[in-house]
Amino acid sequence: GAAGRLIAARSQMVKGKTIEEALKVTNKMVAESLGGLPEVKMHCSVLAEEALHAAIQDYKDKLERGENPDEPEEEKPEEIKYV
């Protein structure tokens, strides 16, 4: 859907940029790169922006903790809860 296209477009637009440059890519720029979006789908561009910002914050947090942000995280089994 629209959210997937926006996330893919934003990913391509920020590839090779510094974090500061990537954060300057706006929802409007991404929507325009796709030829525009219907107003009812503009919320999807907000989701794409929030996803990028969360990923960047996670990267910065790992650096601050002295972790390697490029190393995959260990998968933890989900806890099963019985009702």
Side-chain angles (χ1 to χ4, degrees), residues 12-46:
Q12 289 301 311
M13 291 177 75
V14 301
K15 190 180 262 183
K17 295 189 182 316
T18 66
I19 289 175
E20 291 76 23
E21 292 169 334
L23 290 172
K24 291 178 183 175
V25 175
T26 66
N27 295 336
K28 184 177 180 180
M29 292 165 65
V30 177
E32 287 174 356
S33 77
L34 296 172
L37 282 177
E39 193 61 37
V40 296
K41 294 293 183 180
M42 284 304 289
H43 71 281
C44 294
S45 68
V46 174

Side-chain angles (χ1 to χ4, degrees), residues 57-72:
Q57 188 60 53
D58 183 58
Y59 179 86
K60 288 179 174 183
D61 290 346
K62 286 180 179 180
L63 287 177
E64 284 181 18
R65 292 190 303 263
E67 298 175 16
N68 180 354
D70 297 324
E71 189 174 291

